[in-house]
């Protein structure tokens, strides 16, 4: 696991964008796993600014709220369209986001897994992290082997996300999310976290025991994970000096 600590969310997002740009250079037909929430918005802004070629890129989003139409202002379809897709030259048929209006949710979820497999698997999965350690919408106690499925949100997550909906009551109770097992199948994982409200979850994920109580700690089982965090989100980590030392002493070929 690599931890890159940057002074600000902007600087961290630039590092993340460079890692994605490198992937596109090495593999123009890359398969990218994408995240939503507020955290990756700066990354998407930076990717748009870089004017990368998305012509052959395929994307799979982590999750969506059950019951929301794609044009609902708080849907992840809408967030992705507004912040990324309508600004880049990606083909609409290469964009995949769980369908919050699927009639048969288990069947939809199986199909989503099959689409990821048929696309050759995810080369790089972008993640945020919830204050309770959730990745995608895999709340604490999610199976570490879980696949794409329906989940019920915790009260904490509904509270955290209320600002997207105007009130806590308006936040859907159910979501469709890739599972932790689905996420761990990605070849590379890039997790972004900003702010001191994320510090405890980040420390638990990187330095805590692997536990379903902090779903992001499952990333310790993956061979190629990079956390890119700002100073505030790194503030509870114990080995920050070591992480900085590693970053400053990277061999040239490893630098983005
Ligand atoms: C949301 C999303 C996650 C996201 C997390 C943090 O509910 N489902 O993918 O990483 O919670 O959100 P934010 O970036 O807004 O803090």
């Amino acid at each position: 696991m690599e931890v890159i600590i940057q002074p600000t969310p902007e600087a961290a997002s630039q590092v993340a964008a460079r890692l994605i740009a490198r992937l596109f250079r090495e593999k123009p037909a890359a398969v990218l796993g994408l995240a939503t929430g507020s955290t990756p918005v700066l990354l998407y802004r930076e990717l748009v600014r870089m004017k990368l070629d998305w012509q052959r890129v395929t994307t799979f989003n982590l999750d969506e709220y059950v019951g929301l139409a794609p044009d609902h202002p708080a849907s992840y379809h809408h967030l992705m369209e507004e912040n990324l897709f309508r600004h880049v030259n990606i083909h609409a048929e290469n964009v995949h986001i769980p369908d919050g209006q699927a009639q048969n949710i288990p069947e939809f979820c199986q199909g989503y897994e099959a689409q990821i497999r048929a696309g050759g698997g995810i080369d790089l999965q972008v993640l945020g992290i919830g204050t309770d350690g959730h990745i995608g919408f895999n709340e604490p106690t999610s199976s570490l082997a879980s696949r794409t499925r329906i989940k019920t949100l915790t009260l904490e997550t509904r509270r955290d996300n209320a600002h997207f909906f105007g009130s806590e009551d308006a936040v859907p109770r159910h979501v469709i999310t890739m599972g932790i097992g689905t996420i761990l199948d990605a070849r590379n994982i890039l997790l972004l976290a900003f702010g001191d409200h994320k510090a405890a979850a980040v420390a638990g994920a990187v330095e805590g025991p692997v536990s379903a109580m902090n779903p992001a700690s499952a990333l310790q089982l993956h061979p190629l994970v990079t956390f890119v965090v700002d100073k505030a989100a790194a503030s509870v980590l114990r080995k920050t000096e070591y992480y900085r030392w590693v970053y400053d002493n990277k061999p040239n070929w490893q630098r983005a």
Side-chain angles (χ1 to χ4, degrees):
M1 201 174 251
E2 180 178 14
V3 181
I4 301 177
I5 303 169
Q6 292 291 300
T8 60
E10 287 76 14
S13 302
Q14 281 167 15
V15 170
R18 286 204 297 274
L19 291 170
I20 293 173
R22 182 170 69 185
L23 170 67
F24 284 15
R25 270 198 308 277
E26 289 169 1
K27 188 173 179 185
V31 180
L32 202 55
L34 294 174
T36 44
S38 352
T39 306
V41 167
L42 282 173
L43 164 66
Y44 298 151
R45 196 172 299 162
E46 184 61 18
L47 289 173
V48 170
R49 198 193 59 76
M50 289 168 106
K51 297 194 189 313
L52 303 176
D53 187 5
W54 293 72
Q55 192 117 274
R56 297 175 61 200
V57 172
T58 299
T59 62
F60 287 93
N61 262 81
L62 284 167
D63 46 13
E64 180 58 287
Y65 294 99
V66 168
L68 292 199
D71 59 355
H72 187 289
S75 77
Y76 287 160
H77 279 78
H78 189 258
L79 185 148
M80 290 309 303
E81 192 56 33
E82 287 305 304
N83 289 285
L84 182 64
F85 296 140
R86 75 188 183 90
H87 305 288
V88 297
N89 64 338
I90 195 163
H91 292 293
E93 64 271 24
N94 292 344
V95 169
H96 305 85
I97 305 178
D99 177 5
Q101 295 188 305
Q103 287 307 304
N104 183 335
I105 292 180
E107 195 177 278
F108 173 82
C109 294
Q110 272 190 19
Y112 202 66
E113 290 274 337
Q115 280 182 309
I116 296 173
R117 277 196 304 276
I122 292 172
D123 291 303
L124 186 147
Q125 175 66 55
V126 176
L127 296 176
I129 185 169
T131 55
D132 60 4
H134 72 241
I135 47 176
F137 265 134
N138 294 283
E139 297 284 31
T141 73
S142 286
S143 157
L144 302 187
S146 49
R147 312 302 306 187
T148 304
R149 70 213 181 292
I150 189 168
K151 282 294 288 180
T152 306
L153 294 180
T154 60
L155 296 179
E156 180 176 340
T157 299
R158 291 184 71 235
R159 214 174 300 130
D160 285 349
N161 288 357
H163 64 279
F164 287 108
F165 289 86
S167 78
E168 204 176 310
D169 231 29
V171 182
R173 285 157 202 218
H174 298 110
V175 292
I176 294 175
T177 181
M178 279 188 204
I180 296 175
T182 321
I183 292 169
L184 291 177
D185 281 349
R187 285 184 269 281
N188 293 271
I189 295 179
L190 175 59
L191 185 146
L192 288 169
F194 311 140
D196 49 16
H197 60 304
K198 299 291 175 72
V202 167
V206 177
E207 297 174 344
V210 174
S211 161
M213 284 302 282
N214 182 341
S217 66
L219 300 176
Q220 293 176 30
L221 300 169
H222 190 283
L224 288 169
V225 177
T226 306
F227 276 59
V228 188
V229 301
D230 71 351
K231 248 174 99 171
S235 58
V236 185
L237 287 165
R238 280 177 297 166
K239 296 237 168 238
T240 46
E241 248 179 73
Y242 176 60
Y243 306 137
R244 289 184 195 281
W245 171 257
V246 170
Y247 191 63
D248 292 342
N249 289 283
K250 257 181 188 300
N252 271 340
W253 59 271
Q254 276 193 339
R255 291 182 188 275

